[in-house]
């Protein structure tokens, strides 16, 4: 779909590429989805695997992802409070894309090593 002369906000919900770009905003979205692929995680667990993310940034990112329907937030009625995050049904469908991105990312790392752009000892 050509976007020439059409404002991007007018294409959200109409063009799949613009929609995906809007839904996957945020530096941490892909990594959060990757870590939730294996099952639910609590806030502190996510914070630990995503270090150096700040608590405020993680909170904001999780709220955006929940609002976009990518994840579920489950609150357990107990003391101390327990909250788990998991992929929603539509979020879980993204696993195929994550696998493809991971494969492409590895290919790109191999390319960078071949080009001498990154240290091969790491």
């Amino acid at each position: 779909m050509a976007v020439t002369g059409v404002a991007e906000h007018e294409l959200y919900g109409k063009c799949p590429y613009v929609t995906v770009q809007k839904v996957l905003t945020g530096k941490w979205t892909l990594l959060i989805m990757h870590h939730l692929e294996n099952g639910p995680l609590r806030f502190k667990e996510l914070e630990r695997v995503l270090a150096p993310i700040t608590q405020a940034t993680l909170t904001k990112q999780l709220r955006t992802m929940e609002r976009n329907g990518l994840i579920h937030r489950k609150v357990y009625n107990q003391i101390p409070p327990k909250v788990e995050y998991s992929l929603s049904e539509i979020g879980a469908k993204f696993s195929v894309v994550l696998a493809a991105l991971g494969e492409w990312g590895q290919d790109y790392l191999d390319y960078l090593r071949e080009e001498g752009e990154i240290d091969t000892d790491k």
Side-chain angles (χ1 to χ4, degrees):
M1 170 178 255
V3 293
T4 307
V6 178
E8 191 175 287
H9 70 275
E10 292 178 27
L11 294 174
Y12 175 76
K14 296 175 186 169
C15 172
Y17 295 101
V18 171
T19 303
V20 166
Q21 186 176 16
K22 290 289 186 185
V23 170
L24 297 178
T25 60
K27 175 180 175 180
W28 300 96
T29 300
L30 292 177
L31 286 173
I32 291 169
M33 292 182 77
H34 167 69
H35 287 294
L36 292 177
E37 281 185 298
N38 296 321
L41 291 173
R42 294 177 73 175
F43 185 89
K44 284 294 183 185
E45 292 170 318
L46 281 168
E47 192 175 31
R48 192 171 26 259
V49 297
L50 296 170
I53 194 170
T54 65
Q55 198 172 43
T57 299
L58 180 56
T59 298
K60 181 179 177 184
Q61 188 71 68
L62 290 169
R63 286 181 182 156
T64 299
M65 293 174 72
E66 184 180 15
R67 191 172 46 252
N68 288 337
L70 299 175
I71 61 171
H72 286 296
R73 180 178 184 262
K74 183 174 182 180
V75 180
Y76 293 86
N77 190 14
Q78 68 182 51
I79 296 177
K82 178 180 174 182
V83 178
E84 284 184 340
Y85 296 91
S86 61
L87 292 176
S88 65
E89 186 176 334
I90 193 69
K93 287 183 176 188
F94 196 72
S95 292
V96 176
V97 178
L98 284 172
L101 286 171
E103 188 176 316
W104 184 86
Q106 186 58 57
D107 290 346
Y108 192 72
L109 287 171
D110 294 342
Y111 162 79
L112 290 176
R113 285 185 191 94
E114 290 170 10
E115 295 295 313
E117 298 289 327
I118 58 174
D119 190 358
T120 56
D121 295 333
K122 291 184 179 179

